[in-house]
Amino acid sequence: MKSKSPPANNISERTYRTKNYIIASGYISDLPVAATNYYYIPEFMTPSRSWQSFLEETGVLLRFTGRFFSQCFRPRYEIAEFLRQCFIIGYRSLPLIGLTAFIMGLVLTMQLRPSLIDYGVESQLPAMVGIAIVREIGPVIVALIFAGKIGSSIGAELGSMKVTEQIDAMEVSGTNPFKYLVVTRVLASTVMLPVLVMLGDAISLYGSFLGVNIRGTTSFDLFWNQVLGNLSFGDVIPAFVKSFFFGFAVGLIGCYRGYYSTKGTEGVGRSANSAVVISSVLIFLIDLVAVQITDILGLN
Amino acid sequence: MLQTINNTRNSPLPDEDNEIIAVEHLYKSFGSNKVLIDFSMLLHKEENIVVLGKSGSGKSVLIKCIIGLVKPDSGTIRVLGQNIPELSMEELDKIRVRIGFLFQSNALYDSMSVRQNLEFPLRRHSIRLRQDEVDTLVMNALEDVGLQHTIDMMPAELSGGMRKRIALARTLILKPDIILYDEPTTGLDPITAKEIIELMIRIQKKYRSASIIISHDMNCVKMASDKVLMLIEGKCYALGTMEELQRSADPKVKKFFE
Ligand SMILES: Nc1ncnc2c1ncn2[C@@H]1O[C@H](COP(=O)(O)OP(=O)(O)OP(=O)(O)O)[C@@H](O)[C@H]1O
Ligand SMILES: [Mg+2]
């Protein structure tokens, strides 16, 4: 019964029908299976899917994670490829993340102002926005955009390498493809996301400064004094720490979906798509766990 | 007729020094799909064996087992005296330096230029080469396939036939002792196909390598094969020179030469 090919594929190959949908491998579509556009819904969210397949997939993912850690600390270390990935993953996402972060800071400030005026605490606007951005909105929004851009591109890249035998070709060329492709990408996104979050936070506070100054005036110094004066150790560190986990989740899921991509070009699209969906859900789950932990540690 | 062919296979040549690849009682299945069933074959020094078989008969799986990309369910595969399924990663890498593998889908790295594609095996295998040595090897390999001008292009910019030739150049760049070709001439025009076959023969003479060639191309069979192996129903169904097999009365063998 148990075959040697990755169980993820076995899950994917099951096809069955419900009333209006054709569900193939957790991909719900109201089109025939052969049609192109699949909307990926994780196994555990599809109606009447058994818990068994969810647990199966989780098991495979856990084994993949274990393999990551066991390969991560063993030579040979792919330093050059790791740095190249840091550049691709970090630097190239910066414009997109900068733009969205700036707009987010601006809009958030403008949206908050009326409520604060109602309560007569308009002067607290920079402090409120600063805390909201640094603690929650910055890390989560940046991570979600990161998942959309990097998670999907890793999923698609590894997926297409898999189906065109490039991964096999690396293996016969004296390269451990898991180390060369997976370990470097997971590490690079783990390291780069916190950096992007910090930059994103800063950029979005500039956006917020602009928002404050659209109505009323606050000097640049006063704005930053208010923001930084109201931030504490307990605001910054947990947010910083959790963005490592966000980055790890995005890199790992992207690689996992790509590496176990099913044969065929269609599988590549699915890998990219599912990488984004799963890592976005994981980001919120990690966020939920993180807030519990900071609560228990009394960092609030 | 066929019986005699099979008999020679069942009693392998006694001189073990001559033997480059020896596959014995190889079994491989994917789930319930039994692909290789008790497959055995021998490849000797400087010998070219062309493998014929229907699509899906397991030809690619066979050579992937030989290079250790696919783990067989059981059986031994001795390559240059070592049993592939039992080797560790490091030992496998050492053997793979001496094996060239041409993938059916070419498997060129999309994100790398032609130059980087050819440099990849040179840099990744644990062999020490200076930059100028790498450059000459790359240039020579490209000259062999007549594509020097593509050196800085990306694979996506090349035609299908050019990609196949670059893949071939990458396969041959380490001057391997054993070359496994998976459909080297598929998708090429007859003239380029002939050039490729001539190149394969020239390389083989030059480096005195042995090769397994998977091909549907009768020209290739005629020109390159010392022996032809028929992979039917997961077994080495028949083995012999092309003339021998053409004269065979077995209907399954006959079909290939119609
Ligand atoms: N990774 C795999 N997982 C599951 N089944 C596989 C896998 N690789 C090959 N197979 C199956 O093994 C059988 C043989 O495949 P193989 O690729 O060796 O055929 P082939 O003889 O090379 O055919 P072709 O001439 O079309 O290339 C096919 O039925 C295929 O479905
Ligand atoms: Mg094949």
Side-chain angles (χ1 to χ4, degrees):
Chain A
M1 187 61 223
K2 273 257 170 264
S3 75
K4 293 232 169 108
S5 62
N9 295 358
N10 297 349
I11 298 168
S12 317
E13 268 142 28
R14 266 181 242 146
T15 307
Y16 70 101
R17 284 158 190 279
T18 62
K19 268 174 279 168
N20 303 316
Y21 301 117
I22 293 169
I23 304 176
S25 75
Y27 302 80
I28 292 198
S29 163
D30 47 7
L31 301 166
V33 180
T36 40
N37 282 326
Y38 284 91
Y39 301 98
Y40 181 78
I41 314 256
E43 299 283 341
F44 55 91
M45 290 186 182
T46 53
S48 77
R49 286 301 285 177
S50 63
W51 277 92
Q52 194 192 343
S53 56
F54 168 60
L55 291 178
E56 263 173 36
E57 180 141 5
T58 312
V60 181
L61 177 58
L62 284 179
R63 238 182 306 154
F64 191 79
T65 316
R67 192 165 162 205
F68 167 79
F69 282 112
S70 73
Q71 301 262 330
C72 188
F73 299 108
R74 229 180 283 158
R76 107 199 216 185
Y77 303 111
E78 306 282 0
I79 309 279
E81 179 64 12
F82 166 69
L83 293 176
R84 203 174 73 88
Q85 287 304 323
C86 283
F87 176 78
I88 294 173
I89 289 175
Y91 184 71
R92 297 223 179 126
S93 326
L94 195 52
L96 178 67
I97 283 174
L99 177 71
T100 44
F102 187 83
I103 295 174
M104 185 183 71
L106 176 65
V107 172
L108 186 66
T109 310
M110 293 174 68
Q111 302 259 32
L112 267 175
R113 183 198 297 275
S115 317
L116 293 192
I117 289 177
D118 285 350
Y119 291 109
V121 285
E122 196 193 350
S123 61
Q124 292 297 308
L125 189 52
M128 283 279 299
V129 173
I131 289 180
I133 286 175
V134 170
R135 286 191 72 132
E136 176 64 19
I137 298 175
V140 170
I141 296 280
V142 170
L144 287 176
I145 291 175
F146 190 78
K149 181 166 162 51
I150 299 301
S152 65
S153 81
I154 292 180
E157 187 189 11
L158 294 200
S160 73
M161 290 186 78
K162 171 83 179 182
V163 301
T164 57
E165 299 183 306
Q166 290 174 52
I167 293 184
D168 286 344
M170 290 199 159
E171 190 169 343
V172 302
S173 296
T175 301
N176 178 340
F178 195 91
K179 257 185 202 156
Y180 189 82
L181 298 171
V182 175
V183 172
T184 54
R185 278 166 178 74
V186 176
L187 285 181
S189 58
T190 310
V191 172
M192 290 323 282
L193 184 57
V195 176
L196 288 170
V197 166
M198 279 195 293
L199 291 171
D201 285 355
I203 292 169
S204 95
L205 287 171
Y206 278 101
S208 168
F209 175 66
L210 183 66
V212 170
N213 276 292
I214 285 177
R215 304 259 175 82
T217 48
T218 306
S219 79
F220 192 68
D221 286 343
L222 181 61
F223 176 82
W224 283 105
N225 271 336
Q226 280 211 11
V227 169
L228 298 178
N230 283 288
L231 283 178
S232 66
F233 175 81
D235 296 322
V236 179
I237 298 300
F240 185 63
V241 171
K242 79 181 169 192
S243 48
F244 275 100
F245 287 92
F246 292 164
F248 179 73
V250 172
L252 190 80
I253 299 294
C255 289
Y256 163 70
R257 295 307 300 190
Y259 209 74
Y260 286 156
S261 193
T262 42
K263 289 268 171 194
T265 39
E266 190 195 11
V268 177
R270 285 184 190 181
S271 303
N273 195 235
S274 62
V276 177
V277 176
I278 299 177
S279 47
S280 304
V281 173
L282 265 183
I283 285 168
F284 285 106
L285 290 178
I286 293 170
D287 202 34
L288 185 66
V289 173
V291 78
Q292 301 300 329
I293 292 175
T294 43
D295 207 36
I296 291 166
L297 294 179
L299 284 170
N300 277 328
Chain B
M1 176 69 234
L2 193 69
Q3 208 45 50
T4 60
I5 298 168
N6 280 336
N7 281 344
T8 52
R9 171 174 64 78
N10 288 337
S11 52
L13 287 176
D15 54 334
E16 298 235 319
D17 297 342
N18 250 340
E19 149 197 321
I20 299 274
I21 296 179
V23 178
E24 278 160 15
H25 309 296
L26 187 66
Y27 286 81
K28 177 69 196 174
S29 50
F30 294 99
S32 59
N33 177 12
K34 294 197 175 79
V35 179
L36 296 174
I37 305 155
D38 197 11
F39 181 93
S40 303
M41 72 173 284
L42 274 179
L43 179 74
H44 299 103
K45 237 179 201 161
E46 295 178 42
E47 185 178 50
N48 284 350
I49 292 188
V50 173
V51 176
L52 290 179
K54 276 201 296 212
S55 181
S57 57
K59 306 180 295 294
S60 301
V61 169
L62 168 66
I63 59 170
K64 282 186 181 173
C65 285
I66 291 175
I67 202 161
L69 280 174
V70 171
K71 220 173 168 51
D73 299 335
S74 65
T76 56
I77 304 166
R78 260 176 292 119
V79 177
L80 302 164
Q82 303 204 51
N83 187 11
I84 294 287
E86 288 172 355
L87 295 184
S88 71
M89 257 328 192
E90 291 74 29
E91 291 167 320
L92 257 182
D93 281 342
K94 260 181 221 148
I95 283 231
R96 282 169 175 168
V97 180
R98 304 176 62 186
I99 308 178
F101 194 103
L102 178 71
F103 284 87
Q104 188 166 6
S105 61
N106 300 334
L108 293 178
Y109 307 122
D110 292 325
S111 59
M112 301 183 198
S113 69
V114 168
R115 182 201 298 273
Q116 288 166 329
N117 261 287
L118 295 184
E119 283 179 356
F120 195 87
L122 298 176
R123 295 201 185 287
R124 303 295 309 182
H125 279 300
S126 43
I127 36 175
R128 298 265 162 269
L129 292 170
R130 288 195 316 274
Q131 182 58 44
D132 56 314
E133 290 172 324
V134 170
D135 288 342
T136 6
L137 282 173
V138 169
M139 257 350 254
N140 289 346
L142 280 177
E143 262 165 44
D144 279 341
V145 295
L147 288 173
Q148 298 97 308
H149 60 283
T150 62
I151 187 160
D152 288 316
M153 289 163 101
M154 300 301 282
E157 298 171 84
L158 304 174
S159 75
M162 287 158 102
R163 259 177 261 161
K164 183 121 262 169
R165 281 146 75 194
I166 297 293
L168 189 62
R170 189 178 67 184
T171 305
L172 300 176
I173 198 160
L174 280 165
K175 307 194 166 51
D177 299 326
I178 304 169
I179 313 172
L180 310 173
Y181 301 95
D182 201 341
E183 309 200 358
T185 57
T186 311
L188 298 179
D189 63 279
I191 300 166
T192 317
K194 194 150 174 261
E195 281 170 15
I196 292 285
I197 298 165
E198 280 163 358
L199 170 69
M200 286 161 48
I201 296 170
R202 204 167 65 235
I203 296 276
Q204 202 243 347
K205 291 255 160 60
K206 197 158 139 197
Y207 304 122
R208 318 187 71 190
S209 47
S211 50
I212 297 179
I213 305 166
I214 294 174
S215 184
H216 302 292
D217 180 353
M218 275 307 148
N219 242 331
C220 180
V221 180
K222 225 178 282 164
M223 291 167 65
S225 70
D226 296 321
K227 279 189 198 153
V228 177
L229 188 160
M230 300 248 159
L231 175 50
I232 301 175
E233 290 156 3
K235 285 186 179 60
C236 173
Y237 189 81
L239 177 74
T241 64
M242 182 163 170
E243 290 75 32
E244 283 174 327
L245 291 190
Q246 266 172 329
R247 273 184 270 120
S248 159
D250 190 292
K252 282 179 185 160
V253 174
K254 257 180 147 171
K255 250 193 234 160
F256 279 92
F257 296 99
E258 271 161 15

